[in-house]
Amino acid sequence: VNENLSVSYGEHTTTSTATSAVDQELEGINISYSMGGMTIAIGDHDGKNISNVSGTDNSETEILLTFAF
């Protein structure tokens, strides 16, 4: 977006060769802002059919604060 703000989005689908398996679907968005030696980042990620197993869903949100000295 600019030299201090960054936004990213990603998707990924994994298909298994097993006959009973379903597609694993992953997506996520990350936003980070840097100022001087400090960065704050927020990420939100969702997964469906983890390990190609139906109904095994996962969601996570993370907040990171880093300092450079």
Side-chain angles (χ1 to χ4, degrees), residues 8-59:
S8 63
Y9 174 80
E11 294 181 344
H12 182 76
T13 301
T14 302
T15 303
S16 175
T17 57
T19 56
S20 63
V22 293
D23 288 351
Q24 173 179 277
E25 300 173 6
L26 306 170
E27 66 176 1
I29 186 167
N30 295 301
I31 300 170
S32 65
Y33 181 78
S34 297
M35 182 172 40
M38 183 182 77
T39 300
I40 185 166
I42 299 172
D44 187 46
H45 310 98
D46 295 313
K48 295 181 181 177
N49 305 322
I50 305 300
S51 297
N52 300 95
V53 177
S54 180
T56 53
D57 300 342
N58 187 32
S59 179

